[in-house]
Amino acid sequence: MVFAAPNEALARAEGLLDAAPPPLHASIAHQVIGIWQRDFGDTRLALAHLRRARDLAARADSPEREADVLATLGVALVHTGRTRQGLAAFERGVARGTGHTRARVLYRRAYVWWVLGRHGEALEDVRRAIVVLRQADDVIWTARALTLRATVHLALGAVERAEADFAAAEELWGTTDQEHDKADAVESRGLAAFRSGDVPAALRLLDEASERYAALGTPMFMLNIRRSEVMMAAGLAPEALAEVDQAIAVLDGIGGQSTRKAELLLVAARAARLAGDAQTAVARAAVAVRLFAAQRRTWYETHARLVLIEARVAAGRGAGRLVADAAAVAEKLASFGAPAAPEASLLAGRIALDLGWTADAERHLAVAARSRRSGPPLARMTGWAAQALRARAAGSTRGVLEACRRGLDVLDDHRMTLGASELRARATAQGAELAALAQEASLASGGPRRLLVWSERWRATVLTAPPARPPADPVLLSDLTAFREIAARAEEARMKGRPVAALEREQRRLEREIRARTLHMRGEAPGGGDRFDVGRLLAALGDDVRLVELAVLDGRVQVLLCGQGRVRRFEAGLLAEAEREAEHVQAGLRRLAHPGAEARLPLVEAAGRRLEELLLGPAAAHLGAGPVVVVPPGRLHRVPWALLPALRDRVLSVSPSATSWLRARETAPPSGGRHILVRGPGLTSGGAEVPLLAEGYGAPAMPSGGYGTQAMPPGNHTTGSHGPRAPRPGPDRLRHQASATRVDGADGAAAEGASVDGAATLGNGEPGYPAPGLALARGAPVVLEGDGARVPRVLRELDGAALAHIAAHGTFRADSPLFSSLRMADGPLIVHDFERLDRSPYRIILSCCDTARFASVGADELLGLVTALLPLGTAGVVACTAPVNDAAVVPLMLALHKGLDAGLSLAEALRDARAALPGDAVHQVTGWAFSAFGAA
């Protein structure tokens, strides 16, 4: 019963002891309490109860009972680090037991062999046990034995054998009421899915197991270990480290198993290393090594030594002795049949290469390279990385590129099994070394076209393939609605100065639930999406347009200038210096967003000149006179490119990759030309441009009279950015419109009043909605504002629109970028919401602060609002990279839409809108802060 209803079993055992039972029954009760404390509580109490159970069994003169208790005691002793005593208890248990009882003892000794990493002995004991247990028709213990044998097979890399045993065990569990064992079976299936490379299934099954354990009230630290391993493989190392650290604190608090403590420390060391915290990794791995050695767990100790060496290398402690240490670890892991052996050989070879020991390096890398032909994706990646390093050491550029191509193809296939865009983005970190090796080889060979191909090969890959849509999951939809309500209540409480701690806790819980469910999504069939072709790019650019792709090699920016049928390479400055300068610019833009800081404008302009030198270098003199597309690395996503002197007066667009620019350029606009204007709450300007734009596009006249623009002819907005240019609106007209809204705050109330008046009922009784059949027939936009700007309605209208303008307060979440949001009337509209659209609007204008901020993850990926939209059918976005003056945004937006009215692209219209603004500092920096992304 202790594994069917653990807490109930504990209570009944304690109640039985209160009734002064005979020795045989008391022995059973103490054993149950000992099992509960061993697995879910204090191991010291467990040992006390199990020793008492052993003594009572001897007093009852029951050899079978004594043998059974000795097996349970042996497991507990091993888990407390007393390996020698535990194995001695098993020897006595095997000797005392017979038949069915001995089979159960052998099963538990097999479990201990697995804990100790002695897999051969484990398989032998469990094989002997299964034969007898099946003959006795013992369903529960046969299922346990099959589950254990499958777990041992997984440790040895025999995934197919493991899956067969797991399936047989699960069939048996279905006939029992052993709820804890059933949860363990689900957990084991999750482990098998992970070992076979199916990360979404692994996360889903492990989360299901967690729910089952929670219902039973039993903490399971092995589940924390396994889930952390999966998260690390998915690129979620910081989250894995946080989970393991929390588990260690819980384990220490209850006085739990020291064996689990060592295992948790090992996982924590790996997570810290992958998260870039080498010093923490060294400290955790060193403690894990000591604990495993004291517990006589050589298999685990050897794995901990591998992580310790990796962490020391990451911390810059490379030395000749580490080559020998890594080689010894590799040899021992290979003798165990451990799948991590190639990783250790690769490490030894890499350290030897850094020291110039080419002969040693070749020997170790050749061993590691054998794994490239078979096994799970990450093991094959290890083999191809070793092969690429061998080719580089041999001076074979062709060999390096071939190995890198094959390795990244493996990772492409693995990545495309992941449905969540976050997992796809983070998984690219596994290919960063191969991509860098290929770029270095391409640079050395002197071909800029080849360097461009490899720069594109692993840049913004998430945007090159169709996204997997979130499932029509009622629980997910319910969680999203609850999250929105809680977030809105928390925001309201903050504004009123009320406590929000409880609301914030619930919001974080819902965020975890939403994220977990989206990570369960599976991707489509293998295939890496669009393949980049230089000829196709150059044909699309023609003679007038230039595309500037910035690659970073050895910390220096390489400028690849594409256009006029060729690719040229220029060397610019250091990336680290450019990043520092970009941060200075961001600080300057923040200050200049407020009147009174005009004296800082020359400093910001000077920083723009320095950025141009660092990022474009001599390429700035070769840009020609036409439009420019900038493709920066992820770490430079916050550069306001319009501030650079060479780009300031140009038609300028930004793209995460050349491939995504091509895809955006070839995206066809939707039929119908439906326009959406959305105004959210809480804006300083009140979203004053929305009613003005609504009037200009042909919505019913505003009661205030407004500053209306001319109605937009249907369909003109679809003209491509490099097609025939329509006549531009006169600058005098644009300046007149711009001057209608002041930015010094003097008549902000009047502007806000006009916005409120404009939100009057428009024919159907709902605020902000045009009357169907009247306004829409005249080409008027759908206007959503006030209580009408609620997330479900906004999403419904955005789906498949030609143009959407959203004036809403934006919040960027660096800690969880897919929870970056736009504030609507009923709460935040988050990236996860946008991903539910069948097709996002062809063009989107996001008129508020920080809507173009991203988190740089993986090899060179960006997560944020804009990058969520581009794969979903959006061909062009205008968004802001910095905080801006809300009032100054109004004339910029009016001028931008005037350009779209004239048939211009977003990039062309934004260039003209900047030129049409007043010349004061606030307006200038507002124009620089906005960028056009994509190609529409």
Side-chain angles (χ1 to χ4, degrees):
M1 189 180 179
V2 75
F3 293 111
N7 294 331
E8 186 180 347
L10 175 65
R12 287 181 60 174
E14 290 172 340
L16 179 63
L17 290 177
D18 289 341
L24 186 67
H25 293 179
S27 172
I28 294 172
H30 279 289
Q31 185 180 9
V32 166
I33 296 170
I35 290 171
W36 194 97
Q37 292 290 354
R38 180 196 69 193
D39 289 352
F40 316 123
D42 190 329
T43 53
R44 292 168 297 181
L45 291 175
L47 290 175
H49 281 284
L50 292 173
R51 285 173 174 141
R52 180 69 175 146
R54 177 198 60 194
D55 296 343
L56 287 166
R59 188 190 305 174
D61 194 23
S62 173
E64 301 297 315
R65 169 106 288 276
E66 189 177 355
D68 196 77
V69 175
L70 283 167
T72 304
L73 177 60
V75 173
L77 286 166
V78 169
H79 273 312
T80 58
R82 306 176 194 185
T83 302
R84 185 177 297 173
Q85 295 177 38
L87 292 176
F90 273 110
E91 286 300 320
R92 293 195 300 275
V94 171
R96 298 285 282 166
T98 61
H100 188 197
T101 301
R102 179 181 290 173
R104 291 184 175 189
V105 174
L106 288 172
Y107 156 75
R108 284 177 281 195
R109 188 169 69 175
Y111 167 80
V112 161
W113 291 135
W114 171 70
V115 169
L116 296 173
R118 294 168 64 172
H119 299 112
E121 291 97 324
L123 287 174
E124 175 59 23
D125 270 357
V126 78
R127 181 192 62 79
R128 292 166 59 193
I130 286 173
V131 171
V132 178
L133 293 170
R134 277 179 167 159
Q135 289 173 347
D137 199 24
D138 188 337
V139 173
I140 291 174
W141 286 79
T142 301
R144 287 174 180 163
L146 287 168
T147 302
L148 174 61
R149 187 168 69 180
T151 306
V152 178
H153 283 318
L154 279 183
L156 295 172
V159 177
E160 291 183 1
R161 291 182 181 180
E163 288 177 338
D165 276 345
F166 280 139
E170 189 168 11
E171 187 174 347
L172 293 176
W173 286 129
T175 66
T176 76
D177 62 352
Q178 297 296 111
E179 296 305 321
H180 195 276
D181 283 312
K182 289 179 182 178
D184 182 69
V186 173
E187 178 186 342
S188 298
R189 284 170 48 218
L191 179 62
F194 171 52
R195 292 285 189 259
S196 64
D198 192 344
V199 170
L203 289 169
R204 176 178 56 79
L205 290 165
L206 293 177
D207 284 346
E208 180 185 339
S210 179
E211 291 171 5
R212 289 172 177 253
Y213 290 135
L216 295 169
T218 54
M220 289 299 293
F221 300 103
M222 182 55 73
L223 176 67
N224 298 119
I225 290 169
R226 288 170 173 168
R227 191 159 54 188
S228 297
E229 288 176 344
V230 177
M231 286 193 289
M232 284 187 283
L236 305 173
E239 291 90 336
L241 180 59
E243 173 153 344
V244 177
D245 279 347
Q246 184 178 14
I248 290 172
V250 173
L251 185 74
D252 287 343
I254 64 173
Q257 301 168 357
S258 67
T259 51
R260 289 289 179 260
K261 174 76 172 283
E263 292 162 17
L264 286 164
L265 284 167
L266 171 56
V267 175
R270 289 186 59 226
R273 183 183 66 78
L274 292 172
D277 188 350
Q279 299 300 336
T280 296
V282 169
R284 303 283 176 85
V287 176
V289 167
R290 290 197 297 272
L291 285 175
F292 286 131
Q295 295 163 3
R296 299 174 181 267
R297 301 172 72 188
T298 310
W299 192 86
Y300 284 97
E301 180 190 350
T302 307
H303 281 81
R305 289 191 183 280
L306 171 60
V307 177
L308 180 59
I309 297 168
E310 290 174 334
R312 284 174 173 165
V313 171
R317 303 184 192 178
R321 66 181 180 81
L322 291 182
V323 177
D325 290 347
V329 165
E331 186 176 349
K332 187 165 283 190
L333 288 173
S335 71
F336 295 149
E343 185 181 338
S345 293
L346 174 61
L347 178 61
R350 188 180 282 122
I351 301 170
L353 274 182
D354 290 342
L355 294 171
W357 300 357
T358 54
D360 288 335
E362 167 60 23
R363 184 171 69 255
H364 298 306
L365 292 173
V367 173
R370 295 172 192 160
S371 68
R372 69 189 186 276
R373 302 295 184 186
S374 62
L378 298 184
R380 283 181 283 150
M381 284 283 297
T382 296
W384 285 116
Q387 186 69 9
L389 289 173
R390 291 178 73 197
R392 187 180 70 170
S396 172
T397 298
R398 182 176 179 180
V400 171
L401 296 179
E402 175 64 12
C404 292
R405 181 185 67 80
R406 298 286 295 274
L408 291 177
D409 283 348
V410 171
L411 191 50
D412 265 336
D413 287 346
H414 166 65
R415 188 172 51 83
M416 292 306 294
T417 67
L418 308 175
S421 56
E422 179 179 4
L423 287 188
R424 287 184 179 181
R426 294 185 185 278
T428 60
Q430 306 285 352
E433 181 185 20
L434 286 172
L437 286 170
Q439 285 181 299
E440 290 172 10
S442 300
L443 182 63
S445 69
R449 283 196 180 212
R450 179 180 286 173
L451 180 56
L452 176 62
V453 168
W454 282 102
S455 176
E456 280 290 301
R457 179 65 178 84
W458 212 240
R459 179 195 293 264
T461 60
V462 170
L463 306 185
T464 66
R469 305 290 179 175
D473 179 351
V475 177
L476 175 60
L477 295 176
S478 175
D479 283 346
L480 285 168
T481 301
F483 164 78
R484 194 170 298 119
E485 180 182 347
I486 292 295
R489 287 169 54 192
E491 182 66 24
E492 182 182 1
R494 288 188 198 97
M495 293 174 67
K496 294 181 178 179
R498 298 203 305 262
V500 295
L503 291 170
E504 288 178 341
R505 281 195 300 272
E506 178 62 8
Q507 182 176 333
R508 287 193 295 271
R509 184 192 69 78
L510 287 165
E511 285 181 8
R512 289 193 297 271
E513 293 291 326
I514 293 166
R515 189 163 182 249
R517 299 194 80 85
T518 56
L519 295 184
H520 297 168
M521 291 189 302
R522 278 195 59 81
E524 303 298 328
D530 296 341
R531 289 296 188 186
F532 177 67
D533 179 75
V534 177
R536 178 173 155 229
L537 173 67
L538 293 175
L541 293 172
D543 291 333
D544 295 331
V545 185
R546 301 288 186 275
L547 183 140
V548 178
E549 180 146 332
L550 306 182
V552 179
L553 280 79
D554 292 328
R556 185 169 290 278
V557 177
Q558 305 290 330
V559 183
L560 298 171
L561 181 59
C562 310
Q564 292 184 310
R566 58 179 176 159
V567 181
R568 290 176 286 174
R569 182 179 67 85
F570 301 87
E571 193 167 278
L574 295 174
L575 176 65
E577 292 183 16
E579 287 183 291
R580 284 195 296 271
E581 205 63 58
E583 286 303 314
H584 294 156
V585 167
Q586 285 292 326
L589 293 179
R590 281 194 294 272
R591 292 186 180 94
L592 284 165
H594 306 284
E598 294 82 356
R600 301 195 62 85
L601 183 61
L603 298 177
V604 171
E605 291 183 305
R609 290 191 291 274
R610 287 193 295 273
L611 270 176
E612 180 175 304
E613 294 171 6
L614 291 167
L615 297 177
L616 300 181
H622 300 273
L623 295 177
V628 172
V629 181
V630 177
V631 179
R635 289 163 64 182
L636 294 174
H637 68 275
R638 294 202 68 194
V639 171
W641 296 97
L643 175 62
L644 277 57
L647 304 177
R648 192 168 298 173
D649 298 321
R650 291 180 181 275
V651 174
L652 171 67
S653 57
V654 181
S655 181
S657 69
T659 305
S660 63
W661 179 80
L662 278 170
R663 183 172 177 173
R665 186 178 181 276
E666 295 167 0
T667 298
S671 60
R674 186 161 47 92
H675 297 174
I676 313 298
L677 302 176
V678 181
R679 178 164 55 157
L683 297 169
T684 304
S685 70
E689 79 268 22
V690 171
L692 308 180
L693 291 171
E695 181 182 351
Y697 279 130
M702 300 296 167
S704 63
Y707 313 111
T709 59
Q710 297 173 0
M712 173 181 280
N716 281 359
H717 62 282
T718 62
T719 302
S721 62
H722 308 304
R725 293 171 63 101
R728 293 182 185 167
D732 292 339
R733 171 65 173 153
L734 287 170
R735 287 186 183 276
H736 172 71
Q737 291 175 349
S739 65
T741 301
R742 293 173 55 188
V743 298
D744 60 4
D747 50 326
E752 191 163 342
S755 300
V756 172
D757 290 342
T761 299
L762 300 178
N764 63 350
E766 294 182 79
Y769 301 154
L774 172 62
L776 291 178
R778 295 168 49 207
V782 176
V783 182
L784 304 178
E785 55 189 353
D787 195 52
R790 303 174 71 84
V791 170
R793 177 67 188 270
V794 170
L795 288 174
R796 197 160 59 247
E797 298 295 347
L798 289 179
D799 211 328
L803 174 67
H805 179 111
I806 304 178
H809 180 71
T811 300
F812 175 70
R813 287 280 301 275
D815 63 319
S816 191
L818 297 190
F819 282 94
S820 298
S821 64
L822 299 169
R823 191 195 304 170
M824 297 290 114
D826 57 340
L829 171 65
I830 61 176
V831 173
H832 289 295
D833 290 315
F834 279 112
E835 290 185 333
R836 290 162 47 215
L837 296 173
D838 287 332
R839 176 173 180 175
S840 62
Y842 179 68
R843 287 173 169 167
I844 295 186
I845 298 169
L846 303 172
S847 65
C848 295
C849 304
D850 283 344
T851 47
R853 286 190 63 185
F854 311 101
S856 181
V857 301
D860 202 358
E861 304 289 328
L862 295 170
L863 293 176
L865 280 171
V866 172
T867 54
L869 295 167
L870 292 177
L872 296 170
T874 293
V877 182
V878 167
C880 184
T881 61
V884 289
N885 184 291
D886 277 356
V889 169
V890 174
L892 179 72
M893 292 297 109
L894 295 176
L896 174 65
H897 280 265
K898 186 64 175 178
L900 297 178
D901 180 18
L904 304 182
S905 70
L906 286 171
E908 290 170 322
L910 184 58
R911 187 271 309 269
D912 291 353
R914 291 191 192 105
L917 289 174
D920 61 277
V922 172
H923 283 87
Q924 278 191 267
V925 299
T926 300
W928 292 336
F930 280 87
S931 296
F933 297 86

